[in-house]
Amino acid sequence: NAGVTQTPKFQVLKTGQSMTLQCAQDMNHEYMSWYRQDPGMGLRLIHYSVGAGITDQGEVPNGYNVSRSTTEDFPLRLLSAAPSQTSVYFCASSTLFHTGPDYYEQYFGPGTRLTVT
Amino acid sequence: GQQVMQIPQYQHVQEGEDFTTYCNSSTTLSNIQWYKQRPGGHPVFLIQLVKSGEVKKQKRLTFQFGEAKKNSSLHITATQTTDVGTYFCRFGNEKLTFGTGTRLTIIP
């Protein structure tokens, strides 16, 4: 198993540009999520999904879109990049079952380091 | 809303000294998880605590869940250079909120 994969590893954008961060997992996990990590701020949840076709907002969703057309993939779209979106982005997944994702280990991808100039 | 404070934000210790980080919640938690992130890496799951007063050990690491399930601690005995990193707590509900983390650095 490759686990959780993210592409690209590094990206530089200019203000106003759009792009998609890719995330894929091969563990058949129902739950997938996106976090951003900024110095001193910990990990903040952007969007999450509990299954194909179902997404919801996290703590900091503004400026980002997601979709979940398959179990495996959960791309994050930046609509119009801003310098405030400079951060490290992590995708994570876990199994779900009936007790909810909070009872299961979160598997993280290696991250994408994004700089917006 | 639910708030989780993680303290301290930073901790510098001499190699061989002990280290403790704490997570404190304003509400009762269903469970709590701990993660470690090495510098430049991604968070990796360490352990989950579910029961009131639960204590779990992993070699030099001791994890504790408070009796009221509102606080938790991670204690490392006799730190080694391999312990360097940021330690996060993560508490339950669908939005899986993480604490702000404690960054541990070790002076050899």
Side-chain angles (χ1 to χ4, degrees), chain A residues 72-90:
Chain A
E72 294 78 18
D73 300 298
F74 191 44
L76 177 72
R77 281 184 288 278
L78 279 71
L79 308 173
S80 177
S84 61
Q85 293 179 305
T86 294
S87 189
V88 180
Y89 291 85
F90 289 102

Side-chain angles (χ1 to χ4, degrees), chain A residues 31 37 48 102 104 106, chain B residues 33 35 37 90 94-95:
Chain A
Y31 185 92
Q37 185 173 37
Y48 66 98
D102 54 322
Y104 295 97
Q106 294 288 303
Chain B
Q33 295 182 350
Y35 290 76
Q37 184 179 23
R90 199 238 72 202
E94 200 166 65
K95 298 203 172 181

Side-chain angles (χ1 to χ4, degrees), chain B residues 2-77:
Chain B
Q2 195 170 27
Q3 293 183 342
V4 173
M5 297 292 296
Q6 191 169 354
I7 55 172
Q9 189 174 3
Y10 301 96
Q11 186 79 53
H12 312 285
V13 301
Q14 291 273 354
E15 188 174 9
E17 290 183 338
D18 292 356
F19 159 78
T20 305
T21 175
Y22 302 89
C23 271
N24 298 307
S25 171
S26 58
T27 59
T28 301
L29 305 173
S30 57
N31 63 70
I32 196 162
Q33 295 182 350
W34 286 93
Y35 290 76
K36 176 184 178 181
Q37 184 179 23
R38 294 182 185 274
H42 58 276
V44 175
F45 175 82
L46 293 176
I47 209 158
Q48 174 169 267
L49 305 171
V50 178
K51 298 177 183 177
S52 168
E54 189 170 14
V55 178
K56 288 188 176 180
K57 294 190 176 184
Q58 290 179 349
K59 297 182 180 178
R60 296 177 294 104
L61 278 62
T62 301
F63 304 83
Q64 191 161 1
F65 204 7
E67 292 290 340
K69 300 182 74 174
K70 287 187 174 183
N71 56 74
S72 180
S73 65
L74 158 58
H75 178 81
I76 302 178
T77 303

Side-chain angles (χ1 to χ4, degrees), chain A residues 43-88:
Chain A
L43 293 153
R44 293 184 293 169
L45 184 66
I46 305 172
H47 285 286
Y48 66 98
S49 168
V50 297
I54 305 169
T55 64
D56 206 346
Q57 296 182 349
E59 181 184 358
V60 289
N62 292 341
Y64 307 94
N65 273 0
V66 291
S67 60
R68 185 97 179 268
S69 56
T70 67
T71 300
E72 294 78 18
D73 300 298
F74 191 44
L76 177 72
R77 281 184 288 278
L78 279 71
L79 308 173
S80 177
S84 61
Q85 293 179 305
T86 294
S87 189
V88 180

Side-chain angles (χ1 to χ4, degrees), chain A residues 24-37:
Chain A
Q25 52 90 10
D26 60 0
M27 297 174 282
N28 202 31
H29 284 166
E30 301 92 336
Y31 185 92
M32 295 186 75
S33 56
W34 277 100
Y35 291 88
R36 60 176 289 172
Q37 185 173 37

Side-chain angles (χ1 to χ4, degrees), chain B residues 11-19 78-85 103-108:
Chain B
Q11 186 79 53
H12 312 285
V13 301
Q14 291 273 354
E15 188 174 9
E17 290 183 338
D18 292 356
F19 159 78
T79 54
Q80 300 175 358
T81 55
T82 53
D83 296 324
V84 164
R103 184 174 175 182
L104 172 65
T105 57
I106 295 175
I107 307 162

